[in-house]
Amino acid sequence: MNILLTSGARRIDFIGFFQEALKEAGILGNVIVADPDYNAPSLQVADRSYIIPHQTDDKYAEKILEICKEDEIEMLIPLNDWEVPKLAENKAAFDELRVKLFIPDYEVVTKVRDKGSYQELLGKIGLKAPATYFTIEEVQTCINNGDNDFPFIVKPRNGSASIGIEVVNNMEELKSAYQLAVHKIEQSPLRFDTEKDPEDNVIIQEVIEGEKYSLDIVNDLEGKYLTSLARKQLAMRGGDVDRTITSQEKPLVEIGKKIGDHFKHNGYLNTDVFYDGKDYYIIDINPRFGGGYAFSHAAGADIPAAFIALVAGKPVDFEWLTSTPDVELARYDLVTRINEGKLHQKTD
């Protein structure tokens, strides 16, 4: 079984998870990694590595399909938000090659990528999202009416990697942060990810104070809910969780099941959830493996093994779907040497 991970970037650990899962399952195969950067560390530990166009390139999907055909890929898992819509749009072409895509359908991807729709989208299933405004004038009106007050957070509707996010404490800061967010959208791949103009792609939300959790929601290839993996965030670094404690608190698991049952997505959704001491609020929903999964893996979960079993038509072991709660974990960095002779080009 050959597995393709796209946008591997720094996630050397993820490549190892899938390599080990293949080995433990007794299945012959390779973990193949593709990334637009020739010096992405993950390319150095893959069984086979490709340099590909950036996901904003018109040839991105074409090159991924070429890899799938040439290397007889059976499973494809993206590790970056921005590539998921293009992959989902081309699902029929992947189906023809018998490649199993562990991503939601395009309709679901579009919904969860729009943070401005969360109040309506999640309210339908009894879940909460922060109060959201689309213009500075709306914020001024809500303050005048006593409905809300500073601080607020300004961010792109389709944001990723913490681009354009600013917390503001007064109207002057709000106006400045709004224009900065528009500028950052114009200068980033976010501008290719929506039909909205940058000026219409910014939202302003109330700030939810309290505990922050990462919640992963895993479904099978038919969209049937399998499990939720929760982690309380203790520290962040560069937009990624740096220290955490695993959790299996019942309200979080129930939130995960509600989302999994509602969206019936294939594979993985990663969410950020805030708890203010009374209610849980969904902040982000990302339609791919989150980097924080590595913490749950270290605490006993093995979702790569579960995904491999699904593709191979074998039973999923319940132990793969759970992590030991109350395990405190921290990230650390490693260094790898770049050997360009290991890489294959798919950028022409």
Side-chain angles (χ1 to χ4, degrees):
M1 179 187 298
N2 289 340
I3 301 168
L4 176 61
L5 304 181
T6 55
S7 293
R10 294 165 53 92
R11 294 182 181 174
I12 288 178
D13 48 2
F14 275 67
I15 288 79
F17 298 158
F18 281 92
Q19 289 170 331
E20 183 63 24
L22 281 175
K23 181 180 177 181
E24 288 293 320
I27 296 175
L28 294 178
N30 295 297
V31 178
I32 297 163
V33 179
D35 196 275
D37 295 326
Y38 82 93
N39 55 4
S42 59
L43 297 177
Q44 297 300 313
V45 300
D47 297 316
R48 188 173 175 85
S49 301
Y50 287 98
I51 306 172
I52 55 169
H54 194 275
Q55 50 263 32
T56 58
D57 192 294
D58 290 339
K59 292 186 176 181
Y60 168 79
E62 174 189 333
K63 298 303 180 183
I64 296 297
L65 285 163
E66 284 181 14
I67 295 171
C68 290
K69 186 174 182 178
E70 292 174 11
D71 287 88
E72 299 180 331
I73 300 297
E74 294 185 51
M75 178 194 305
L76 192 160
I77 296 178
L79 300 177
N80 183 289
D81 298 347
W82 294 328
E83 62 190 330
V84 174
K86 280 197 174 181
L87 295 173
E89 279 183 311
N90 288 275
K91 186 177 185 300
F94 288 105
D95 286 344
E96 287 183 13
L97 296 176
R98 297 184 178 179
V99 177
K100 300 297 185 184
L101 279 177
F102 280 82
I103 58 172
D105 290 339
Y106 184 73
E107 181 183 2
V108 175
V109 172
T110 302
K111 288 179 179 179
V112 302
R113 292 285 287 140
D114 182 6
K115 298 172 177 58
S117 69
Y118 281 9
Q119 279 188 286
E120 179 181 0
L121 182 68
L122 298 172
K124 294 176 180 177
I125 55 174
L127 299 177
K128 291 180 176 288
T132 302
Y133 310 94
F134 301 96
T135 66
I136 294 172
E137 290 73 21
E138 285 184 13
V139 173
Q140 185 64 71
T141 298
C142 90
I143 292 173
N144 292 343
N145 292 340
D147 297 328
N148 220 320
D149 205 348
F150 291 102
F152 292 97
I153 187 167
V154 180
K155 59 185 178 182
R157 291 182 71 142
N158 64 335
S160 180
S162 300
I163 293 173
I165 294 180
E166 298 286 341
V167 175
V168 298
N169 295 289
N170 55 57
M171 192 57 67
E172 184 178 347
E173 289 181 5
L174 172 57
K175 293 176 181 178
S176 176
Y178 196 96
Q179 292 306 313
L180 180 61
V182 169
H183 174 73
K184 289 192 174 182
I185 291 170
E186 291 173 336
Q187 300 300 315
S188 78
L190 293 176
R191 72 187 187 279
F192 300 106
D193 193 33
T194 178
E195 295 179 355
K196 293 182 175 64
D197 292 331
E199 292 80 5
D200 299 322
N201 197 30
V202 180
I203 57 174
I204 305 158
Q205 291 184 327
E206 65 175 326
V207 173
I208 306 298
E209 302 285 357
E211 298 174 337
K212 183 177 181 180
Y213 293 87
S214 295
L215 178 64
D216 300 339
I217 303 142
V218 187
N219 283 5
D220 67 15
L221 285 166
E222 282 70 51
K224 181 180 178 182
Y225 174 79
L226 290 178
T227 193
S228 300
L229 300 170
R231 301 169 298 275
K232 182 179 178 180
Q233 298 181 10
L234 301 180
M236 301 286 290
R237 185 179 64 166
D240 283 332
V241 181
D242 196 50
R243 294 192 296 277
T244 190
I245 296 177
T246 55
S247 172
Q248 283 298 306
E249 293 182 26
K250 187 176 179 181
L252 292 168
V253 174
E254 290 176 348
I255 288 171
K257 189 173 189 311
K258 276 189 177 182
I259 291 175
D261 287 342
H262 176 70
F263 288 120
K264 302 185 186 306
H265 61 279
N266 290 356
Y268 222 90
L269 287 180
N270 163 252
T271 70
D272 285 338
V273 182
F274 278 67
Y275 178 59
D276 68 356
K278 179 182 177 183
D279 295 309
Y280 290 87
Y281 293 82
I282 314 300
I283 308 298
D284 289 324
I285 306 176
N286 302 303
R288 45 83 180 148
F289 252 111
Y293 165 72
F295 295 108
S296 293
H297 195 91
D302 198 341
I303 300 305
F307 283 177
I308 288 169
L310 290 172
V311 173
K314 296 183 176 182
V316 173
D317 191 328
F318 177 76
E319 290 185 1
W320 298 336
L321 305 178
T322 60
S323 60
T324 304
D326 302 317
V327 177
E328 186 168 356
L329 299 145
R331 244 185 241 282
Y332 66 95
D333 291 331
L334 295 173
V335 174
T336 188
R337 188 169 185 169
I338 303 301
N339 174 14
E340 292 188 52
K342 183 178 175 65
L343 311 178
H344 299 80
Q345 296 279 347
K346 278 290 179 188
T347 56
D348 55 313

